[in-house]
Amino acid sequence: MATKVDAPNGMRNNGKHYYTMCQTMFEIDTKYVPIMPIGRGSYGTVCSSINQETNEKVAIKKINNVFDNRTDALRTLREMKLLRHLRHENVISLKDIMMPPRRRSFKDVYLVSELMDTDLDKIIMSSQPLSNEHCQYFLFQLLRGLKCLHSAGILHRDLKPGNLLINGNSDLKICDFGLARTNNNEGQLMTEYVVTRPYRAPELLLGCDNYGSSIDVWSVGCIFAELLGRKTIFPGTDCLGQLKLIVNVLGSMNDGDLEFIDSLRGRNYIKSLPHAPGIPLYSMYPQAHPLAIDLLQKMLIFDPSKRISVTEALEHPYMAALYDPSANPPAQVPIDLDIDENLGLDKIREMLWQEMLQYNRRPSKWRIFNK
């Protein structure tokens, strides 16, 4: 539970009050009263809270010592930039970013978002039955949110069940945009770490430099398979093992399926694998609706150029009862997430500060210290 404490030595109140949860100090605006911790990981600590001004329950994520790691600082900046511009009912909404009292020396970032009950990973791992209608509705919402991202020129790049938040009405929202990037069609290399391995597309496993929105579609296929079978479809422990599992299920590839692979070494590796006849997906998921299997097959295609797009997936007969094209317009403008990876920490801190100001249009209400 949250325990209120006095302001630590040297800290002013400045419209803040202090709580400890999970051995973590929260320095938050007085309008928020924490309830309890709901998550903790390398990204920081999340707690549920009540906004006393609106009586709304929210989630507060504290990103601790954000400048200790440049990658974490850049991830935080990208997520803040994207969520400020993007509004969709299947994308988590960032409601507030708390202004730190010191512009040039703050270390922590506090993001306030809508509060959800659980995530898809916990639901899949639970004993709760999942009907065809459940699977259909979760997939539909995921595709809708992803269509909004892709139409804005954004790749999520880390879709997995744990990044899909669910509430009691089975509403789904995509979260965690720290790895998101602009989908650059001019061949920009994006070789840094992307996508948790069990959801990583073949083109990423093979080290292809140029990739596009089809990597997210592959991840959606892996998530869909996990919904249908309640377990990971490709649980590899390393990249080569992952590729072997994929080929074992999809079957051996012909030369036409390998043309997208940049490196001769990668192409030769796939050719060197023992012949695999493939495993029919309907035999892996015998309880699944035939149309669900048909859509899954179109998502889990080895060659990204032949993989179904998000819009085509929404237009698939399996989605017919739910999808209305006129009710899901594309994002209005592209979003630019291209940030110089070599920026100094002082510059990143200033850019984070400017993003925070976008959520706090009246900075005069704060006693801000340029320290």
Side-chain angles (χ1 to χ4, degrees):
M1 297 296 292
T3 303
K4 190 168 186 179
V5 296
D6 294 332
N9 290 336
M11 290 188 178
R12 300 174 175 86
N13 285 335
N14 297 314
K16 308 283 186 181
H17 57 179
Y18 300 84
Y19 288 81
T20 58
M21 281 173 289
C22 295
Q23 300 177 319
T24 299
M25 173 74 74
F26 275 68
E27 179 189 16
I28 59 177
D29 298 349
T30 52
K31 68 179 178 181
Y32 296 112
V33 176
I35 302 172
M36 61 185 296
I38 55 176
R40 189 177 186 182
S42 58
Y43 56 82
T45 304
V46 182
C47 73
S48 59
S49 180
I50 291 179
N51 181 337
Q52 295 184 105
E53 295 179 357
T54 63
N55 206 33
E56 179 185 23
K57 288 186 177 180
V58 296
I60 298 176
K61 176 164 71 172
K62 178 184 181 181
I63 304 171
N64 208 31
N65 296 317
V66 68
F67 302 107
D68 284 0
N69 184 300
R70 181 193 303 275
T71 299
D72 288 346
L74 288 169
R75 283 187 64 161
T76 302
L77 177 59
R78 285 194 178 93
E79 184 162 27
M80 288 164 58
K81 285 171 69 70
L82 186 145
L83 291 178
R84 177 163 61 86
H85 290 284
L86 203 63
R87 289 289 183 270
H88 190 275
E89 61 187 19
N90 298 122
V91 174
I92 197 70
S93 173
L94 188 57
K95 293 182 170 296
D96 190 12
I97 303 173
M98 296 185 209
M99 291 298 299
R102 293 174 176 82
R103 178 174 185 168
R104 297 196 177 101
S105 61
F106 71 91
K107 298 178 180 179
D108 308 322
V109 173
Y110 293 87
L111 306 179
V112 183
S113 62
E114 51 193 322
L115 181 64
M116 304 292 283
D117 294 319
T118 187
D119 61 54
L120 195 60
D121 185 56
K122 293 184 178 69
I123 288 176
I124 290 171
M125 297 297 291
S126 75
S127 58
Q128 174 185 337
L130 289 177
S131 66
N132 176 63
E133 288 71 25
H134 279 114
C135 296
Q136 195 176 37
Y137 188 49
F138 287 144
L139 178 64
F140 170 66
Q141 293 179 89
L142 171 53
L143 289 170
R144 284 188 78 234
L146 193 55
K147 181 181 178 182
C148 179
L149 285 172
H150 287 180
S151 68
I154 298 297
L155 311 182
H156 186 283
R157 305 202 315 164
D158 196 22
L159 290 172
K160 56 186 177 182
N163 285 343
L164 305 175
L165 303 181
I166 311 290
N167 68 14
N169 297 323
S170 296
D171 296 328
L172 178 148
K173 295 180 188 288
I174 303 170
C175 73
D176 197 345
F177 294 90
L179 290 178
R181 293 291 187 280
T182 303
N183 185 11
N184 190 314
N185 293 320
E186 298 178 0
Q188 178 186 358
L189 302 185
M190 296 190 290
T191 55
E192 69 274 27
Y193 167 79
V194 287
V195 189
T196 304
R197 186 177 294 111
Y199 310 94
R200 199 177 299 179
E203 56 268 35
L204 297 176
L205 293 165
L206 288 160
C208 295
D209 291 330
N210 300 307
Y211 53 83
S213 57
S214 54
I215 66 164
D216 285 338
V217 175
W218 178 274
S219 298
V220 172
C222 295
I223 293 165
F224 189 23
E226 204 162 325
L227 273 169
L228 296 174
R230 309 299 285 261
K231 63 180 181 180
T232 308
I233 184 172
F234 304 122
T237 56
D238 56 61
C239 285
L240 297 184
Q242 190 77 14
L243 285 164
K244 288 179 182 177
L245 289 174
I246 291 170
V247 171
N248 187 52
V249 171
L250 302 188
S252 295
M253 304 297 150
N254 58 45
D255 288 344
D257 297 322
L258 307 180
E259 291 178 358
F260 72 92
I261 302 174
D262 298 330
S263 74
L264 181 61
R265 183 180 179 185
R267 204 174 299 180
N268 287 338
Y269 174 74
I270 297 299
K271 289 182 176 181
S272 74
L273 294 175
H275 175 75
I279 304 172
L281 292 177
Y282 63 80
S283 69
M284 295 178 67
Y285 307 106
Q287 305 302 318
H289 193 286
L291 287 175
I293 296 298
D294 185 73
L295 178 52
L296 180 60
Q297 287 173 331
K298 290 176 166 63
M299 291 177 172
L300 297 180
I301 290 181
F302 198 82
D303 181 348
S305 69
K306 300 173 184 175
R307 208 171 291 152
I308 196 171
S309 72
V310 169
T311 299
E312 290 167 342
L314 282 165
E315 293 170 348
H316 187 275
Y318 185 63
M319 295 282 100
L322 297 171
Y323 182 56
D324 177 2
S326 64
N328 190 31
Q332 296 300 308
V333 293
I335 299 169
D336 184 9
L337 293 183
D338 293 334
I339 300 170
D340 184 356
E341 297 287 335
N342 298 313
L343 286 175
L345 290 178
D346 287 343
K347 179 62 176 176
I348 298 173
R349 179 183 273 108
E350 179 60 23
M351 292 175 73
L352 282 169
W353 178 267
Q354 294 300 325
E355 282 297 318
M356 294 171 185
L357 285 178
Q358 298 295 325
Y359 284 84
N360 297 272
R361 295 291 188 179
R362 293 172 292 169
S364 59
K365 69 181 179 178
W366 301 92
R367 286 184 62 198
I368 295 171
F369 296 85
N370 291 319
K371 295 181 181 178

